[in-house]
């Protein structure tokens, strides 16, 4: 494991150092921007787009699009549409030509533009090969994007935001799914056997990692297996109203601002029953 880490670190340094001379003439120009131009190898691009589960329904934005290869692959291989932005006008011109040659200019657009001044709201997937300082600056904006937006990065992390998935095919590829903001106190209503039941729920959150507790009957109840993936929230509470007939309640719901709506399954197997539930946020706490 130690050897593997050292090897990977060495690999990253070697790749950056050896690839820089490729754009030696450009490097003097490119280094004036936040990140130099170092292209992502195609096999790594495919892995990043696979990890982000890109489909023709996606709108991909490549921040610092270089020679356009990420977006062109997203369009040609995965059928996606999108925009690439780069401050380097020569690279943007090169990308536009490459998109024409690949027959995808109707699906992709390249703009000479600062990624920090680019509106990211349209993106369903964002791809990045940027340096750690740039990633750290971008992180707060990325976290405010629509829940469910997938962010995928070649080699570099987004500060202390734990990735939802990591793969290594030659290089590290990291995936984050923008989580809904669910911190706060919620009032839940559910239609259980025996009538409507109400409970309060306190949720805490650090990025996609969540925990909390509820007040199911007249005692505090633990929340088990809490998970947040984009706008999908799931957790389990034990229905302990009747000690001789306890059952797990498997909640699954979609977060839309201050409302969560979904279905819960009570129990398992043949005795399982399904019920609607809804929650309204009654007090927010900062994430
Ligand atoms: C490491 S390259 C990645 C190129 C491409 N995304 C890839 O993975 O092959 C980073 C690119 O970001 C561009 N860049 C640097 N700072 C930028 C900024 N503030 N706004 C837009 N592009 C920037 C550079 O010109 C360079 O082409």
């Amino acid at each position: 494991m130690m050897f593997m880490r050292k090897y990977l670190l060495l690999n990253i340094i070697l790749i950056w150092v050896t690839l820089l001379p490729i754009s030696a003439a450009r490097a003097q120009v490119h280094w004036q921007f936040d990140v130099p131009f170092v292209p992502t190898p195609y096999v790594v691009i495919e892995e990043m787009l696979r990890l982000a589960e890109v489909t023709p329904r996606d709108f991909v934005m490549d921040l610092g699009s270089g020679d356009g290869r990420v977006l062109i692959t997203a369009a040609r291989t995965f059928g996606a549409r999108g925009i690439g932005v780069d401050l380097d006008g020569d690279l943007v011109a090169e990308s536009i030509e490459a998109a024409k040659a690949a027959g995808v200019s109707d699906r992709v657009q390249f703009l000479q533009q600062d990624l920090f001044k680019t509106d990211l709201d349209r993106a369903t997937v964002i791809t990045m090969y940027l340096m750690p300082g740039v990633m750290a600056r971008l992180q707060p904006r990325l976290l405010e994007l629509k829940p469910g937006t997938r962010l995928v990065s070649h080699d570099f992390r987004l500060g202390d935001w734990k990735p939802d998935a990591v793969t290594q095919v030659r290089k590290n590829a990291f995936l984050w799914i923008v989580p809904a903001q669910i911190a706060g106190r919620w009032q839940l209503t559910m239609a259980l056997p025996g009538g409507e039941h109400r409970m309060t729920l306190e949720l805490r959150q650090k990025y996609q990692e969540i925990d909390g507790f509820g007040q199911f009957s007249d005692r505090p109840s633990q929340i088990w297996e809490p998970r947040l993936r984009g706008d999908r929230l799931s957790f389990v509470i034990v229905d302990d109203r009747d000690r001789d007939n306890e059952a797990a309640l498997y909640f699954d719901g979609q977060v839309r601002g201050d409302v969560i709506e979904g279905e819960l399954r009570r129990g398992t197997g043949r005795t399982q029953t399904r019920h609607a539930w809804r929650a309204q946020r009654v007090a927010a706490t900062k994430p």
Side-chain angles (χ1 to χ4, degrees):
M1 196 62 193
M2 268 311 274
F3 171 76
M4 197 63 186
R5 277 213 192 109
K6 275 189 187 157
Y7 172 78
L8 277 171
L9 192 62
L10 193 66
N11 216 359
I12 290 167
I13 293 166
L14 275 176
I15 286 168
W16 277 81
V17 168
T18 52
L19 284 180
L20 278 177
I22 289 178
S23 53
R26 290 166 162 181
Q28 291 154 5
V29 181
H30 292 192
W31 196 245
Q32 65 183 299
F33 307 130
D34 295 299
V35 187
F37 172 55
V38 180
T40 299
Y42 280 101
V43 75
V44 179
I45 293 175
E46 294 208 2
E47 179 59 11
M48 289 164 74
L49 299 173
R50 185 194 71 78
L51 190 61
E53 298 182 12
V54 172
T55 74
R57 291 191 303 281
D58 279 311
F59 193 85
V60 180
M61 292 188 75
D62 190 26
L63 305 185
S65 48
D67 62 5
R69 57 178 60 204
V70 175
L71 210 52
I72 291 170
T73 307
R76 194 174 46 193
T77 311
F78 296 83
R81 289 176 308 116
I83 290 181
V85 296
D86 203 293
L87 279 175
D88 187 312
D90 292 342
L91 285 171
V92 171
E94 202 179 302
S95 305
I96 292 170
E97 285 310 310
K100 273 188 206 150
V104 295
S105 15
D106 58 330
R107 306 189 71 75
V108 299
Q109 211 187 342
F110 292 97
L111 305 173
Q112 184 177 7
Q113 190 166 297
D114 188 340
L115 63 90
F116 287 107
K117 296 184 182 145
T118 299
D119 181 358
L120 307 177
D121 289 350
R122 256 183 102 183
T124 57
V125 174
I126 290 182
T127 55
M128 296 163 285
Y129 185 21
L130 301 167
M131 291 174 85
V134 177
M135 297 288 278
R137 274 172 69 196
L138 260 179
Q139 198 235 53
R141 276 188 70 204
L142 297 176
L143 200 55
E144 282 175 5
L145 291 176
K146 190 164 163 273
T149 307
R150 288 100 80 206
L151 317 172
V152 62
S153 166
H154 170 188
D155 250 351
F156 298 108
R157 291 172 180 263
L158 275 171
D160 64 346
W161 185 355
K162 201 169 139 195
D164 289 276
V166 183
T167 68
Q168 281 178 346
V169 176
R170 277 219 188 119
K171 305 287 293 297
N172 280 320
F174 299 106
L175 169 77
W176 297 264
I177 298 168
V178 175
Q181 298 301 322
I182 52 89
R185 182 176 308 132
W186 298 78
Q187 195 68 53
L188 255 80
T189 318
M190 60 203 103
L192 285 182
E196 187 178 273
H197 189 78
R198 287 169 181 269
M199 69 174 287
T200 52
L201 193 63
E202 296 275 352
L203 292 175
R204 295 183 303 182
Q205 154 170 47
K206 184 179 180 193
Y207 306 115
Q208 73 276 46
E209 294 175 272
I210 57 167
D211 67 7
F213 59 90
Q215 184 86 30
F216 184 78
S217 23
D218 46 3
R219 328 170 259 287
S221 337
Q222 174 93 31
I223 291 173
W224 305 98
E225 300 294 327
R227 301 239 188 292
L228 179 63
R229 190 178 166 91
D231 62 1
R232 299 301 310 188
L233 173 71
S234 62
F235 57 91
V236 182
I237 286 178
V238 176
D239 178 354
D240 58 359
R241 289 172 298 170
D242 174 358
R243 284 294 165 108
D244 297 327
N245 185 25
E246 288 189 341
L249 302 176
Y250 299 90
F251 287 81
D252 179 49
Q254 186 175 26
V255 185
R256 284 200 206 96
D258 288 333
V259 174
I260 312 173
E261 276 179 315
E263 190 181 62
L264 71 89
R265 289 164 291 129
R266 185 178 188 281
T268 55
R270 289 185 175 169
T271 59
Q272 186 177 79
T273 52
R274 290 167 181 265
H275 313 273
W277 69 282
R278 184 176 198 276
Q280 175 78 50
R281 186 166 10 211
V282 289
T285 49
K286 286 200 182 275

